[in-house]
């Protein structure tokens, strides 16, 4: 096929120039590197070298022409073995028909329809899996969330020697919140590693180790301090598998307490749920009780993707029943209906699940039967469970501890209005923190954070009660 | 010293466009003068090496001093050949970009020795976390030119499936990590990779490259500090090519005497090396690799060089530095210096050099023809559209499949 020679740019900003002189004529043979023309702008002159070899078939622009646009065809070369018949039907500057052989999807789309209703139900049937069956007769042990997380790490470290934990104070001190208690004693300093105080630095080390085939658990003393590590979490951990064309992935868990503790002020109290759940390539988990904390952390450690595991300082010490099963692993991406109800769906994650359950109890006294959906995983979000619940209750209240703008509740409300619009009997309502940095003083902090009463008020609003 | 200095200070380069550049006041240690200590000495004992300049090829193109790696003529000819190919490859890619055949390109003109000599001094099993101006690493490790080009034009054979800027190569089989567009992330990640290798009981070394400008990023300091804490088997290369786009090296260096000197504060072995001297880069890399392999920990290596061309195709350096600066750079050109050395040994001549250039030009021309047979930037075929939804997660996700099907691809 004939080759087009294009008007070159002298600089990144050049848009057009003058074709000052041709050094070749039709019929000349040129080889790569031969100077075939000179071009000028008001600032400089440049020689145009042939990039390909061949015979000049046509000069498309006359010598002395001004205002030749960059990358416009200026000449046509014939390749070796071609004669002028190759020019028939060849028009400079027009693209040949794209070859689309490589563009055929390996799997034909089921339907090219953009219809929302079609898209909705078809694919929701793909389930993330179910919680493992707990055989009857299984005993349960009351365990704190803190110890359940510890047990999960210890079990996975026994199972897979590439798993290790690193972070500030995780070894000698047993963790700032004692979540890594006795791990150093069992696994030694090679796999329980104290780091200097640089979240950005040791997150980068963890990411590098994960690239290299290990399975690091990076503990942040709180996710508030991980804000400076977010470049490694998002730009490297979450995106590298994609950017490298699938060659290099990052199996890593970033874990630690998220959200407010008690009176630690604006810089130590932020909820990052919506931030991380916004990022393709990350999985984001925020469990409530001890059994979920254990089963989901084990799943997170085994997952081949980077996982952000959001814990909550104020529930570390709460105890819940954990089944005495040898290997209790839960599916990532599966919500859990904590309480069945028929009048309204309340979605919540992490500590807000406890508030939602308390609100549901009080609402029951007023004759409102609330269903509580514990999201457990924020990315990928189990929209199937949420949408099915709303189809049953026809009302939605979302509850989250963080700020509401662009938040988790906003996403859920969008999904529900898109996929269950006709089922809704009221606009969805969102419960969230007030739109201010969290104040320190106890009275202001309490007013700023969402609680049981806020959820009750929102439920009554969507039920048009009171 | 005057009693009253301005207390507000922003450093400025010695020469701007229109000035007559003059490097005669650069006080550089002469080739052959630097001592080569045992690779396992304490980091702080490298003070003189961090402030001096390790060089092997002297002004007569003879190999002198303790840092001479004493390579065979065959090895030096191989290095020369990789450097010539790198330069011709770059040159061709730039021309293609200027003609609109790719969107963006970055040349490594004048810095070829830094990557080629390092690749040859390391083992192929050693891990590389490069920056965007070390294409010589790929060439020296034998990556297929067609594959490099297919990535740069994002066609159907691009192993990155159209997801990365040209030049941001990734090559897993070649132990070449995907190049990060964020500056400096590779330093702490190289530490993590290296610690992982050490934990697994492997004797691999991890080498990483950043530019002088990137030393201003927190990741440079984090990487050095963490490597110092954990004595990680890493080589931190700082390519001081004098210019971070338009910012001269003094903006990042500050009051430090050299970039290498910044490693001393962390207790790391720190060397400043003539980056335009193939043999010096080879010898110093060998030293640092031996130190890392034997458990001596990390080395900071400043490669002193000059960025002889624009930062990238989006940059016009005539706006901020004199045109002649590169031509009078006192450390010369790395290809010319190694070539003259080989000629001096009677192991090379002008005729063979010309033949080498002709051969490499033909190789690049042929490779580009083949690359275009897998698609061009404008007319395709490109990476198949449906592949856009792949590799977000390690396993397929129904939500992404649904998005793909909604698009009808």
């Amino acid at each position: 096929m004939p080759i087009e020679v294009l008007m070159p740019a002298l600089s990144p900003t050049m848009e057009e120039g003058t074709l000052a002189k041709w050094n070749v004529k039709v019929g000349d043979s040129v080889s790569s590197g031969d100077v075939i023309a000179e071009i000028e702008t008001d600032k400089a002159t440049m020689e145009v070298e042939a990039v390909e070899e061949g015979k000049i078939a046509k000069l498309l622009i006359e010598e002395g022409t001004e205002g030749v646009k960059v990358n416009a065809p200026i000449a046509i070369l014939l390749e070796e073995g071609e004669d002028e018949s190759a020019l028939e039907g060849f028009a400079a500057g027009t693209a040949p028909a794209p070859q689309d052989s490589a563009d055929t999807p390996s799997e034909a789309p089921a339907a090219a329809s953009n219809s929302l209703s079609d898209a909705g139900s078809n694919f929701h049937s793909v389930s993330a899996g179910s919680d493992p069956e707990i055989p009857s007769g299984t005993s349960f042990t009351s365990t704190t969330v803190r110890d359940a997380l510890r047990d999960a790490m210890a079990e996975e470290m026994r199972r897979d020697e590439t798993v290790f934990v690193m972070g500030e104070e995780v070894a000698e001190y047993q963790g700032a919140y004692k979540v890594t208690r006795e791990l150093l004693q069992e696994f030694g300093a090679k796999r329980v590693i104290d780091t200097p105080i640089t979240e950005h630095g040791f997150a980068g080390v963890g990411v590098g180790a994960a690239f290299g085939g290990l399975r690091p658990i990076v503990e942040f003393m709180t996710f508030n301090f991980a804000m400076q590590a977010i470049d490694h979490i998002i730009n490297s951990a979450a995106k590298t598998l994609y950017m490298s064309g699938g060659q290099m992935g990052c199996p890593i868990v970033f874990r630690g307490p998220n959200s407010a503790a008690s009176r630690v002020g604006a810089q130590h109290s932020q909820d990052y749920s919506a931030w991380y759940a916004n990022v393709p390539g990350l999985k984001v988990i925020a469990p409530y009780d001890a059994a979920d904390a254990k089963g989901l952390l084990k799943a997170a450690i085994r997952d081949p993707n980077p996982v952000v595991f959001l814990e909550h300082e104020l529930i570390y010490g709460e105890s819940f029943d954990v089944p005495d099963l040898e290997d209790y692993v839960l599916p990532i991406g599966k919500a859990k209906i904590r309480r069945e109800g028929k009048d309204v769906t309340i979605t919540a994650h992490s500590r807000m699940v406890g508030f939602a359950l308390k609100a549901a109890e009080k609402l029951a006294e007023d004759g409102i039967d609330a269903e509580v959906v514990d999201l457990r995983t924020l990315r990928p979000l189990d929209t199937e469970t949420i949408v099915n619940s709303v189809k049953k209750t026809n009302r939605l209240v979302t509850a989250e501890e963080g700020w509401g703008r662009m938040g988790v509740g906003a996403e859920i409300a969008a999904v529900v209005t898109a996929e269950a619009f006709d089922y809704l009997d009221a606009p969805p309502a969102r419960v969230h923190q007030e739109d201010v940095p969290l104040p320190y003083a106890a009275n202001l902090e309490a007013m700023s954070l969402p609680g049981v009463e806020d959820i009750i008020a929102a439920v009554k609003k969507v039920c048009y009660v009171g | 010293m005057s009693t009253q200095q301005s207390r507000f200070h922003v450093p400025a380069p010695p020469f701007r466009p229109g000035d007559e550049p003059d490097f005669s006041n650069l006080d550089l240690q002469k080739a052959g003068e630097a001592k080569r200590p045992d690779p396992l000495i304490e980091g702080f004992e490298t003070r003189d090496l961090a402030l001096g300049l390790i060089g092997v090829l002297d002004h007569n193109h003879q190999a002198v001093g303790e840092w001479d790696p004493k390579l065979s003529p065959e090895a030096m000819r191989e290095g020369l050949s990789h450097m010539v190919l790198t330069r011709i490859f770059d040159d061709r890619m730039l021309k293609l970009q200027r003609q609109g055949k790719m969107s963006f390109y970055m040349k490594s003109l004048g810095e070829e020795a830094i990557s080629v000599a390092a690749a040859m001094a390391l083992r192929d099993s050693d891990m590389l976390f490069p920056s965007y101006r070390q294409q010589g690493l790929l060439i020296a490790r034998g990556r297929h030119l067609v594959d490099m080009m297919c990535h740069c034009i994002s066609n159907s054979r691009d192993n990155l499936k159209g997801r990365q800027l040209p030049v941001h190569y990734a090559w897993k089989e070649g132990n070449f990590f995907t190049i990060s567009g964020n500056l400096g992330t590779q330093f702490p990640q190289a530490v993590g990779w290296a610690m992982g290798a050490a934990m697994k009981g492997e004797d691999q070394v991890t080498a990483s490259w950043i530019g002088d400008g990137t030393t201003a990023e927190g990741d440079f300091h984090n990487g050095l500090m963490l490597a110092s804490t954990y004595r990680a088997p890493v080589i931190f290369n700082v390519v001081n090519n004098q210019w971070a786009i338009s910012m001269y090296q003094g903006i990042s260096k500050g009051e430090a005497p050299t970039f290498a000197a910044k490693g001393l504060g962390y207790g790391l072995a720190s060397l400043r090396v003539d980056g335009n001297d193939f043999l010096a880069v080879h010898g110093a890399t060998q030293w640092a690799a031996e130190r890392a392999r034997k458990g001596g920990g990390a080395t900071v290596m400043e490669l002193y060089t000059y960025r002889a061309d624009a930062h990238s195709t989006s940059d016009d350096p005539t706006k901020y530095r004199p045109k002649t600066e590169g031509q009078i750079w006192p450390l010369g050109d790395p290809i010319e210096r190694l070539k003259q050395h080989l000629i001096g040994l009677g192991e090379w001549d002008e005729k063979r050099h010309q033949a080498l250039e002709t051969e490499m030009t033909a190789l690049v021309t042929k490779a580009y023809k083949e690359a275009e047979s897998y698609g061009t930037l404008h007319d395709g075929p490109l990476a198949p559209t449906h592949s856009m939804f792949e590799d977000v997660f390690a396993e397929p996700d129904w939500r992404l499949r649904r998005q793909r099907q909604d698009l009808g691809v």
Side-chain angles (χ1 to χ4, degrees):
Chain A
M1 204 173 74
I3 301 162
E4 289 176 6
V5 179
L6 307 178
M7 180 76 171
L10 286 171
S11 73
T13 48
M14 172 175 159
E15 289 173 3
E16 57 179 42
T18 301
L19 205 164
K21 183 163 178 269
W22 279 114
N23 294 353
V24 290
K25 56 183 189 305
V26 172
D28 285 358
S29 289
V30 296
S31 53
S32 174
D34 287 355
V35 177
I36 58 170
E38 286 170 20
I39 60 169
E40 286 174 4
T41 65
D42 51 348
K43 295 181 195 120
T45 314
M46 185 172 96
E47 294 175 335
V48 181
E49 291 176 24
V51 179
E52 319 278 354
E53 52 193 11
K55 199 168 79 170
I56 302 280
K58 270 187 185 173
L59 299 179
L60 300 169
I61 305 285
E62 274 183 50
E63 251 181 32
T65 308
E66 295 177 8
V68 182
K69 298 268 185 256
V70 164
N71 294 338
I74 55 174
I76 296 176
L77 285 182
L78 288 175
E79 283 189 287
E80 201 180 325
E82 281 181 341
D83 59 30
E84 283 173 22
S85 64
L87 290 175
E88 281 172 34
F90 180 83
T94 57
Q99 293 167 263
D100 59 3
S101 57
D103 206 25
T104 310
S106 52
E107 194 184 349
S113 159
N114 274 327
S115 148
L116 285 171
S117 54
D118 273 5
S121 48
N122 276 355
F123 299 103
H124 279 164
S125 59
V126 185
S127 166
S130 313
D131 288 18
E133 195 102 358
I134 295 173
S136 63
T138 303
S139 59
F140 288 81
T141 302
S142 177
T143 312
T144 60
V145 171
R146 167 184 289 119
D147 286 346
L149 292 165
R150 190 214 90 90
D151 292 348
M153 286 190 281
E155 287 180 21
E156 292 307 300
M157 288 172 80
R158 280 176 212 131
R159 183 180 163 271
D160 178 353
E161 62 177 20
T162 65
V163 178
F164 69 98
V165 59
M166 61 189 291
E168 294 154 6
E169 319 271 16
V170 297
E172 271 318 312
Y173 195 71
Q174 313 278 297
Y177 298 102
K178 307 299 172 204
V179 178
T180 52
R181 186 173 54 83
E182 288 168 17
L183 293 184
L184 175 67
Q185 283 68 19
E186 180 174 350
F187 299 101
K190 195 174 160 190
R191 295 177 66 195
V192 184
I193 303 170
D194 275 329
T195 63
I197 308 168
T198 167
E199 285 76 11
H200 185 55
F202 67 74
V205 169
V207 167
F211 287 150
L214 299 181
R215 290 186 174 261
I217 304 167
V218 171
E219 175 176 307
F220 294 119
M221 197 179 282
T222 103
F223 267 93
N224 291 281
F225 309 153
M227 193 135 57
Q228 58 150 290
I230 211 162
D231 179 56
H232 283 288
I233 299 172
I234 295 178
N235 266 323
S236 293
K239 296 180 185 172
T240 295
L241 180 69
Y242 192 75
M243 293 192 305
S244 67
Q247 293 181 82
M248 294 141 178
C250 191
I252 190 170
V253 176
F254 301 102
R255 53 154 289 273
N258 175 52
S259 309
S262 288
R263 281 168 301 291
V264 289
Q267 291 176 321
H268 291 180
S269 302
Q270 193 169 329
D271 177 358
Y272 292 88
S273 302
W275 286 40
Y276 290 112
N278 188 240
V279 181
L282 285 182
K283 294 190 176 178
V284 183
I285 297 171
Y288 167 58
D289 73 12
D292 282 2
K294 183 178 181 188
L296 285 167
L297 184 53
K298 282 166 69 79
I301 294 166
R302 292 184 197 183
D303 199 277
N305 300 285
V307 180
V308 170
F309 197 90
L310 303 170
E311 300 158 9
H312 203 300
E313 188 192 327
L314 296 179
I315 46 177
Y316 274 151
E318 284 188 36
S319 293
F320 299 88
D321 283 344
V322 176
D324 297 325
L325 292 173
E326 197 167 308
D327 197 19
Y328 185 65
V329 185
L330 292 171
I332 294 172
K334 189 74 190 157
K336 180 175 185 173
I337 297 176
R338 290 264 172 199
R339 183 189 197 279
E340 292 202 23
K342 59 180 180 6
D343 295 332
V344 59
T345 298
I346 306 171
T347 65
H349 63 279
S350 190
R351 186 169 179 242
M352 293 303 286
V353 174
F355 293 164
L357 290 169
K358 283 203 184 87
E361 274 172 40
K362 287 195 179 179
L363 286 161
E365 293 165 16
D366 293 334
I368 297 174
D369 186 15
E371 177 148 304
V372 176
V373 178
D374 178 353
L375 300 172
R376 305 200 293 188
T377 302
L378 301 173
R379 175 181 273 269
L381 187 66
D382 182 3
T383 51
E384 181 190 17
T385 298
I386 299 166
V387 168
N388 286 342
S389 175
V390 173
K391 282 182 178 172
K392 184 174 73 170
T393 64
N394 312 112
R395 290 178 164 84
L396 172 67
V397 169
T398 66
E400 68 191 294
E401 194 177 306
W403 295 308
R405 309 290 152 240
M406 317 293 160
V408 176
E411 171 65 21
I412 290 172
V415 168
V416 166
T417 46
E419 299 189 5
F421 185 74
D422 294 338
Y423 293 85
L424 283 170
D425 287 344
R430 290 185 282 163
V431 174
H432 48 74
Q433 193 188 135
E434 297 300 334
D435 213 14
V436 297
L438 194 70
Y440 165 76
N443 61 328
L444 300 177
E445 185 185 70
M447 280 176 69
S448 183
L449 288 171
V452 176
E453 292 307 317
D454 300 291
I455 296 173
I456 290 172
V459 166
K460 288 189 172 171
K461 196 173 141 205
V462 301
C463 292
Y464 303 115
V465 172
Chain B
M1 190 194 235
S2 86
T3 51
Q4 185 66 47
Q5 290 194 5
S6 170
R7 295 189 302 136
F8 178 78
H9 173 66
V10 179
F15 315 110
R16 284 296 193 191
D19 294 341
E20 196 59 52
D22 175 10
F23 293 114
S24 58
N25 64 343
L26 265 189
D27 185 20
L28 298 172
Q29 190 176 21
K30 288 194 175 57
E33 279 184 7
K35 297 277 172 231
R36 184 185 189 277
D38 183 281
L40 291 178
I41 58 163
E42 294 290 335
F44 67 84
E45 291 180 279
T46 57
R47 183 184 174 279
D48 289 348
L49 296 169
L51 301 179
L53 189 73
I54 294 170
V56 173
L57 290 171
D58 69 7
H59 61 284
N60 293 320
H61 308 296
Q62 300 199 348
V64 292
E66 299 174 8
W67 287 89
D68 180 4
K70 307 236 187 285
L71 298 179
S72 67
E74 291 75 43
M76 286 189 275
R77 279 193 294 261
E78 186 192 335
L80 186 69
S81 165
H82 291 320
M83 290 200 289
V84 166
L85 178 56
T86 304
R87 184 167 294 184
I88 289 171
F89 178 86
D90 275 349
D91 199 43
R92 173 57 59 96
M93 294 294 105
L94 177 84
K95 280 185 193 140
L96 292 166
Q97 193 278 339
R98 288 292 187 235
Q99 293 200 15
K101 296 192 177 202
M102 71 182 69
S103 65
F104 176 82
Y105 195 73
M106 305 179 92
K107 290 173 73 177
S108 61
L109 186 69
E111 300 176 33
E112 294 90 347
I114 289 165
S115 49
V116 170
M120 290 179 66
L122 294 167
R123 297 179 186 166
D124 282 353
S125 55
D126 289 336
M127 186 65 196
L128 313 175
F129 279 81
S131 177
Y132 42 67
R133 218 181 296 282
Q134 283 84 46
Q135 43 268 55
L137 293 170
L138 290 167
I139 285 177
R141 280 202 172 175
R143 182 140 198 237
H144 203 309
L145 294 184
V146 174
D147 290 337
M148 292 173 71
M149 291 167 170
C150 287
H151 159 62
C152 288
I153 55 182
S154 307
N155 67 14
S156 66
R157 196 180 146 127
D158 172 13
N159 72 327
L160 307 187
K161 306 180 190 175
R163 296 173 190 158
Q164 266 288 28
L165 280 169
V167 190
H168 289 58
Y169 305 99
W171 186 37
K172 189 179 184 184
E173 311 91 88
N175 294 317
F176 183 100
F177 196 74
T178 181
I179 292 169
S180 170
N182 290 49
L183 296 177
T185 51
Q186 62 269 43
F187 264 29
Q189 289 171 9
V191 175
W193 185 292
M195 287 173 72
M199 198 188 257
K200 288 185 275 186
E202 297 166 355
D203 71 347
Q204 189 190 45
V205 167
T206 304
S208 187
W209 287 258
I210 61 171
D212 46 283
T214 302
T215 61
E217 291 279 8
D219 268 329
F220 166 75
H221 300 277
N222 288 328
L224 266 56
M225 185 272 296
L226 288 156
S228 169
T229 300
Y230 299 121
R231 208 188 292 153
V234 175
I235 304 172
F236 294 122
N237 295 286
V238 176
V239 181
N240 176 9
N241 66 12
Q242 313 300 320
W243 291 96
I245 307 188
S246 73
M247 287 196 307
Y248 95 111
Q249 44 88 27
I251 294 279
S252 305
K253 188 167 67 67
E255 305 277 18
T258 66
F259 285 97
K262 298 195 182 212
L264 295 171
Y266 294 102
L268 298 179
S270 305
L271 318 175
R272 189 162 70 141
V273 182
D274 178 352
N276 290 14
D277 178 341
F278 180 90
L279 297 179
V281 177
H282 194 289
T285 305
Q286 234 174 21
W287 185 93
E290 185 182 339
R291 178 176 176 84
R293 238 182 281 283
K294 287 182 171 166
T299 300
V300 177
M301 212 154 88
E302 175 181 350
L303 287 318
Y304 200 65
T305 183
Y306 188 85
R307 195 193 76 212
D309 210 322
H311 168 73
S312 74
T313 49
S314 309
D315 169 40
D316 178 3
T318 62
K319 298 275 195 293
Y320 53 80
R321 66 182 191 188
K323 273 186 189 165
T324 50
E325 218 181 62
Q327 293 150 22
I328 64 151
W329 179 245
L331 297 175
D333 176 79
I335 293 181
E336 189 59 24
R337 287 174 69 189
L338 185 60
K339 174 186 153 192
Q340 292 303 335
H341 174 62
L342 277 164
I343 290 174
L345 292 176
E347 294 287 348
W348 197 243
D349 56 52
E350 288 291 352
K351 212 170 137 196
R352 287 169 82 180
H353 196 80
Q354 267 175 21
L356 174 69
E357 287 180 337
T358 307
E359 186 195 335
M360 293 301 154
T361 304
L363 197 64
V364 169
T365 308
K366 185 165 159 269
Y368 186 71
K369 269 214 173 94
E370 192 187 334
E372 281 212 322
S373 75
Y374 297 104
T376 65
L377 180 65
H378 297 294
D379 304 327
L382 306 173
T385 316
H386 66 87
S387 73
M388 183 174 93
F389 296 101
E390 293 164 6
D391 305 320
V392 178
F393 292 103
E395 67 289 297
D397 182 57
W398 64 264
R399 294 162 188 82
L400 288 161
R401 197 169 64 130
R402 180 174 148 191
Q403 287 181 42
R404 167 167 80 69
Q405 293 180 345
D406 283 351
L407 273 184
V409 294

